[in-house]
């Protein structure tokens, strides 16, 4: 079968022929129908992200995967051949989380093997191209909003970075009843998209009227919740300055740069917080699938492009260069 393989020792990525895997005991094999291309995949190829638990030097990328079960291993009774499913983005092993497509082979391939308890059924109404990225591009912001930041209805919220995760954050905040929702992005297209996805206001972070506009939107109280989906130090400094009393900034975008709080006295006096966030829990994914099945969420606008698996290198370049300002590029075998 074809698979997009990365040698982490050299960071060489290529689509090549590899043996088709078989489902072992407690596992299933799916015929992959769609797999998302995430910025984390780009970081793996570039070398800024390194697997923690990969036993060798090579891995098939892809942690956002959906398809049809085509082989069931011994001991699996709750999943059958022909079932439409997505795969959780990872699995727990002896108390540690292993990420699919990072620590073990993922779904940039024609077939993928998964532990049966990481398989989530999806309804016929949910296309594979939209289902595949729920386990990260949607569930990560969902968990950040609901679990880490504890965002409530009527909460004034700011979202910095309206890309693959931030765009879904805006959509989910609208579902949760946050208000006002202020989106912040330097790209005009991203700001327009934020308004389409449910933001009440979309601002350019470099606009001289930025602080005044945000003040008007929040009635001078500042933000109760702010989210950094960009992973940029300047974003974090600006977001902290926008927080109100007991406001919380949640860091979702990854960065190896230090966090600077310019006015520490104000930060402490207003009892503000900075929280780190990473990933989601399996229950978040099943909740989102249920919401999509009931028509509460629609991800049709999130699929920016579909690219053949054989051209995965081109898809990576498209995301790296932000061609067309994509939300999610999806690989299809």
């Amino acid at each position: 079968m074809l698979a997009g393989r990365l040698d982490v020792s050299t960071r060489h990525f290529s689509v090549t022929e590899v043996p088709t895997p078989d489902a072992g005991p407690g596992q299933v094999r799916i015929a992959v129908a769609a797999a998302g291309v995430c910025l984390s995949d780009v970081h793996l190829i570039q070398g800024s992200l390194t697997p923690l638990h990969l036993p060798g030097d090579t891995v098939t990328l892809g942690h956002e995967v959906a398809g049809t079960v085509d082989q069931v291993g011994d001991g699996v009774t709750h999943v059958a051949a022909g079932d439409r499913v997505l795969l959780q983005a990872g699995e727990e092993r002896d108390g540690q989380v292993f990420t699919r497509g990072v620590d073990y082979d993922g779904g940039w391939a024609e077939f993928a093997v998964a532990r049966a308890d990481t398989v989530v059924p999806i309804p016929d109404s949910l296309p594979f191209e939209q289902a595949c990225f729920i386990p990260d591009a949607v569930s990560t912001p969902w968990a950040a909003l609901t679990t880490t930041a504890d965002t409530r209805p009527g909460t004034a919220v700011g979202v910095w970075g309206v890309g693959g995760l931030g765009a879904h954050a805006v959509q989910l905040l609208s579902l949760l009843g946050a208000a006002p929702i202020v989106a912040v992005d330097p790209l005009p297209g991203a700001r327009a998209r934020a308004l389409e996805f449910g933001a009440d206001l979309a601002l350019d972070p470099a606009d001289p009227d930025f602080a005044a506009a945000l003040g008007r939107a929040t009635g001078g109280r500042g933000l109760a919740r702010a989210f950094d989906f960009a992973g940029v130090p300047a974003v974090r400094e600006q977001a902290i300055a926008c927080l109100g009393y007991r406001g919380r900034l949640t860091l979702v975008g990854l960065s190896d740069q230090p966090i600077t709080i310019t006015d520490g006295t104000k930060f402490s006096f207003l009892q503000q917080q900075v929280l780190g966030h990473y990933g989601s829990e399996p229950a978040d994914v099943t909740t989102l699938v249920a919401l999509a099945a009931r028509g509460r969420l629609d991800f049709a606008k999130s699929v920016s492009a579909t690219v053949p698996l054989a051209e995965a290198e081109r898809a990576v370049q498209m995301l790296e260069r932000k061609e067309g300002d994509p939300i999610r590029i999806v690989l299809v075998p």
Side-chain angles (χ1 to χ4, degrees):
M1 69 173 186
L2 281 181
R5 301 280 287 174
L6 174 68
D7 186 324
V8 297
S9 65
T10 62
R11 302 295 167 169
H12 175 69
F13 173 78
S14 64
V15 178
T16 185
E17 289 278 351
V18 299
T20 301
D22 288 316
Q27 296 180 327
V28 299
R29 184 178 71 190
I30 72 163
V32 176
V37 181
C38 177
L39 197 57
S40 297
D41 300 309
V42 176
H43 291 162
L44 280 164
I45 294 170
Q46 291 176 337
S48 58
L49 183 63
T50 298
L52 292 177
H53 308 298
L54 183 67
D57 290 331
T58 56
V59 64
T60 298
L61 298 183
H63 56 275
E64 298 180 340
V65 193
T68 304
V69 175
D70 88 317
Q71 187 183 70
V72 178
D74 292 341
V76 178
T77 57
H78 67 287
V79 181
D83 287 355
R84 301 176 79 255
V85 299
L86 61 75
L87 304 182
Q88 297 279 6
E91 60 186 50
E92 185 175 319
R93 303 179 187 176
D94 298 323
Q96 293 184 311
V97 176
F98 284 62
T99 302
R100 188 182 311 280
V102 179
D103 299 309
Y104 61 101
D105 286 342
W108 287 13
E110 294 180 273
F111 295 91
V113 168
R115 210 168 67 189
D117 62 349
T118 66
V119 170
V120 179
I122 59 174
D124 292 342
S125 60
L126 184 59
F128 291 119
E129 291 83 359
Q130 298 175 34
C132 68
F133 52 76
I134 289 177
D136 183 15
V138 186
S139 67
T140 292
W142 173 262
L145 305 178
T146 59
T147 302
T148 300
D150 189 25
T151 307
R152 305 294 179 88
T155 301
V157 175
V159 174
W160 272 258
V162 193
L165 272 67
H168 292 123
V170 170
Q171 184 180 14
L172 295 168
L173 284 165
S174 181
L175 177 70
L176 292 170
I181 302 169
V182 181
V184 185
D185 200 292
L187 299 177
R191 295 197 297 273
R193 179 171 63 206
L195 294 172
E196 186 180 357
F197 274 47
D200 299 291
L201 181 66
L203 298 175
D204 183 339
D207 188 339
D209 190 48
F210 177 88
L214 188 135
R216 290 191 295 270
T218 63
R221 293 184 297 273
L223 299 173
R225 301 288 185 270
F227 297 88
D228 168 28
F229 287 96
V232 178
V235 161
R236 296 172 172 188
E237 290 189 51
Q238 185 178 53
I240 289 173
C242 295
L243 294 176
Y245 178 63
R246 290 188 173 176
R248 301 176 186 175
L249 167 62
T250 300
L251 309 179
V252 187
L254 302 180
S255 172
D256 59 359
Q257 299 301 306
I259 300 168
T260 301
I261 299 175
T262 302
D263 190 342
T265 299
K266 175 187 174 185
F267 183 85
S268 295
F269 180 74
L270 294 179
Q271 300 180 48
Q272 296 166 341
Q273 296 178 324
V274 176
L275 307 170
H277 179 84
Y278 185 82
S280 63
E281 297 295 326
D284 295 313
V285 174
T286 54
T287 294
L288 290 163
V289 169
L291 288 169
R294 292 182 178 275
R296 303 296 178 87
L297 291 169
D298 182 1
F299 303 120
K301 297 177 183 177
S302 300
V303 182
S304 304
T306 56
V307 177
L309 171 63
E311 300 176 27
E313 291 179 76
R314 179 169 67 86
V316 170
Q317 292 170 358
M318 290 170 62
L319 180 57
E320 187 176 6
R321 298 168 184 167
K322 296 186 178 180
E323 292 181 18
D325 190 21
I327 297 178
R328 259 308 177 262
I329 299 169
V330 176
L331 297 176
V332 290

